[in-house]
Amino acid sequence: MKKMADSGQESQCVNMPDKTIASSVAMKVPLLDLKPQYAALRNEILPAIEAVLESQQLIGGPAVGQLEAAVAAYCGCAHGVGVSSGTDALLCALMGLDIGPGAEVITTPYTFFATAGSIMRAGAKPVFVDIELRTLNIDPERISAAVTSRTRAIMPVHLFGQMADMDPIMAIAARHGLAVIEDAAQSIGAKYNGRPSGSIGTVGALSFFPTKNLGGAGDGGMMVTSDDALAHRLAILRNHGMEPKYHYQWIGGNFRLDTLQAAYLLVKLKHLEEWSARRRANADLYLQRLAGCDGVTCPYTSPANQTIFNQFVIRSPRRDQLKAHLATHGVSTEIYYPLSLHEQPCFKSLGYRRGDFPHSEAAADQSLALPIYPELTATQIHYVADTILAFFS
Ligand SMILES: *Cc1c(COP(=O)(O)O)cnc(C)c1O
């Protein structure tokens, strides 16, 4: 195993530049520090980037096809279609399945905005179904009641790196003839009964946003599927719907993945398994340390799942005070997500209100993400755990 940079002392805190930290901080633990990962791979990344620049094949260069093949294989799918972001992967997948005005898509209200945002942008209507409080993923037992004659798809989200309960979801989809679009933005490499994230539904949407387990040097994403005809259509749609050149069968968009991003991601993909294993090891240490702490509920992984811990999210009724206490002691945390999507002003037209999805609302009120990134040291994890235990003692 490579030697990791030992401390987060000098590190940049992504997402959370916390200016409230007291000056007499014992240790500083950022929520995420991308610098050690770059430092370890610099000698591989720079020549790969330089090769793309020297070639000047900046769009659709060979690295894009190589990454598509490698990621598809990693996800257990026949095809990968690289796109400009995870959000565009969701939107393009919806377009590829002809899901638009008049259609309903069943999804979870406890997720990043893009899940429901992409459904609305496609012209369809998100229909929310509450989550299971233990896994924070969509509750399959509540899906059937939400199916109508207009339902075209289910969009489960594999939140924080753990896959949704796919067997019952696929059974409901089969019964009603629905597509399943896996929002796998946070779950590349996760497994459900041994099957990779993105490979169970009709199509999976991945994100290479820098904070995801496989993070690019900017935005990027990919759709993965084993449906040959759908893959062909998605590849055309991500380039305006153009086929052949300057002839358009469908109206797509500019959803292309840059060659530079693909070259960068090809270097990182080789290390992804090791990073996800380190995240799981970090999680194990937190779970050991926090097991007896009555004030917090630790993340639950169902026996069917192997999670990749894109985030390690605890719950506490005293979440806001705990977050402030951790910040005072130099530990950066984040709230994913403070307001359930059914309560967002932009989705007002959907007619939901507070009280409609109590589990999602409870999660939004109580959840707190702790640092979990691969290069975190055991010393840092012990420090975070000690700080949490001290708060509740
Ligand atoms: C990050 C994320 C997205 C969007 O991905 P981008 O690459 O940032 O566009 C979609 N869904 C979920 C659940 C995400 O976490």
Side-chain angles (χ1 to χ4, degrees):
M1 195 161 292
K2 276 181 302 300
K3 193 168 181 300
M4 298 291 171
D6 189 63
S7 84
Q9 302 277 3
E10 303 296 322
S11 58
Q12 158 198 39
C13 172
V14 173
N15 283 348
M16 189 158 173
D18 203 328
K19 301 233 162 41
T20 60
I21 292 169
S23 52
S24 59
V25 159
M27 190 184 288
K28 221 173 155 182
V29 188
L31 182 65
L32 171 63
D33 182 7
L34 295 170
K35 286 182 178 171
Q37 205 166 79
Y38 174 65
L41 298 182
R42 197 174 185 274
N43 293 338
E44 286 179 77
I45 287 171
L46 291 181
I49 295 298
E50 190 174 18
V52 175
L53 292 178
E54 289 295 335
S55 80
Q56 283 297 299
Q57 262 192 285
L58 301 171
I59 302 287
V64 175
Q66 286 163 21
L67 183 75
E68 288 172 338
V71 169
Y74 184 72
C75 294
C77 289
H79 308 281
V81 179
V83 287
S84 30
S85 70
T87 304
D88 287 340
L90 291 168
L91 179 60
C92 192
L94 287 159
M95 292 167 74
L97 292 164
D98 251 326
I99 294 172
E104 294 178 355
V105 179
I106 294 172
T107 192
T108 162
Y110 186 61
T111 174
F112 179 61
F113 169 78
T115 310
S118 64
I119 296 169
M120 290 288 268
R121 281 179 64 206
K125 181 182 164 192
V127 173
F128 294 124
V129 162
D130 208 357
I131 55 170
E132 302 175 315
L133 209 41
R134 277 213 303 189
T135 62
L136 305 176
N137 281 324
I138 192 168
D139 184 348
E141 298 202 348
R142 296 167 196 265
I143 292 177
S144 289
V147 174
T148 73
S149 59
R150 292 174 299 281
T151 309
R152 288 286 321 281
I154 306 171
M155 190 182 278
V157 178
H158 306 319
L159 202 67
F160 305 142
Q162 170 170 221
M163 289 176 67
D165 197 0
M166 291 303 286
D167 282 348
I169 291 171
M170 294 308 291
I172 295 163
R175 193 152 63 237
H176 297 278
L178 309 175
V180 175
I181 302 165
E182 293 179 59
D183 183 338
Q186 300 184 6
S187 64
I188 185 169
K191 292 199 171 95
Y192 174 88
N193 290 327
R195 301 170 70 190
S197 156
S199 71
I200 300 179
T202 318
V203 56
L206 308 177
S207 167
F208 304 131
F209 187 76
T211 64
K212 307 294 164 87
N213 281 34
L214 180 63
D219 282 306
M222 194 173 291
M223 300 170 290
V224 289
T225 182
S226 291
D227 179 327
D228 298 343
L230 180 62
H232 178 73
R233 185 168 147 85
L234 295 174
I236 293 169
L237 283 172
R238 63 113 178 248
N239 190 23
H240 299 290
M242 182 169 84
E243 174 71 12
K245 203 168 191 187
Y246 301 126
H247 292 71
Y248 306 86
Q249 315 182 35
W250 304 301
I251 296 172
N254 176 357
F255 302 135
R256 294 179 304 248
L257 177 68
D258 291 339
T259 313
L260 279 170
Q261 290 300 340
Y264 183 83
L265 289 160
L266 270 169
V267 173
K268 285 188 126 188
L269 179 61
K270 290 182 277 182
H271 304 273
L272 181 57
E273 276 293 295
E274 181 198 322
W275 292 331
S276 293
R278 289 184 67 99
R279 284 172 182 267
R280 278 192 292 273
N282 291 346
D284 283 344
L285 188 49
Y286 274 129
L287 291 169
Q288 279 170 34
R289 290 298 319 278
L290 299 174
C293 180
D294 287 336
V296 300
T297 304
C298 282
Y300 166 80
T301 305
S302 88
N305 271 291
Q306 186 182 53
T307 165
I308 57 157
F309 281 109
N310 177 241
Q311 301 293 345
F312 185 90
V313 176
I314 61 171
R315 285 192 292 121
S316 168
R318 296 177 65 202
R319 188 264 315 274
D320 294 339
Q321 298 97 308
L322 176 61
K323 185 179 195 329
H325 173 82
L326 285 162
T328 305
H329 291 84
V331 179
S332 292
T333 58
E334 184 58 282
I335 297 170
Y336 301 117
Y337 298 90
L339 189 63
S340 182
L341 293 189
H342 71 283
E343 297 186 79
Q344 297 289 349
C346 69
F347 295 136
K348 213 177 157 140
S349 65
L350 297 173
Y352 295 109
R353 48 188 139 88
R354 181 132 189 119
D356 284 346
F357 304 108
H359 290 169
S360 182
E361 291 164 20
D365 291 344
Q366 299 183 350
S367 65
L368 189 65
L370 305 181
I372 190 69
Y373 62 93
E375 297 81 6
L376 211 59
T377 64
T379 310
Q380 287 175 305
I381 295 168
H382 282 296
Y383 175 75
V384 175
D386 287 340
T387 310
I388 292 170
L389 293 169
F391 174 78
F392 286 105
S393 70

